[in-house]
Amino acid sequence: MFAHDRKITDVKDGALLALLSAGAYGYSMASNYNVRPRPAEVMVKGKAWAVVQARETMKDLVRGSVIPEFLK
């Protein structure tokens, strides 16, 4: 849920929806708690936009992890 008791217009399939403030759900306060990948970060100026931080993948989350031999 991103809003409670708020009216928004109907959002059509394929439409873009901007949440201008997402608190801890945005990239700057995000973490990998519960093995959740961090979101992408998009910078917008007028009608121009660019992904400035790519969304993390599961491969990103396990990079550097090692299974000790005694657990194999």
Side-chain angles (χ1 to χ4, degrees):
M1 177 185 307
F2 64 87
H4 183 69
D5 290 335
R6 306 261 176 137
K7 292 183 180 184
I8 62 171
T9 59
D10 289 337
V11 179
K12 308 282 188 232
D13 279 350
L16 299 176
L17 184 63
L19 303 177
L20 303 180
S21 179
Y25 298 100
Y27 190 84
S28 64
M29 295 291 290
S31 74
N32 297 122
Y33 181 74
N34 282 340
V35 195
R36 289 217 179 259
R38 284 179 280 211
E41 187 173 24
V42 178
M43 189 174 288
V44 179
K45 182 177 181 183
K47 292 185 178 186
W49 62 273
V51 175
V52 295
Q53 183 68 48
R55 180 186 321 266
E56 283 183 324
T57 65
M58 286 304 293
K59 191 173 183 176
D60 294 327
L61 292 178
V62 298
R63 181 181 47 240
S65 296
V66 177
I67 300 172
E69 284 298 318
F70 61 85
L71 292 179
K72 294 181 180 178

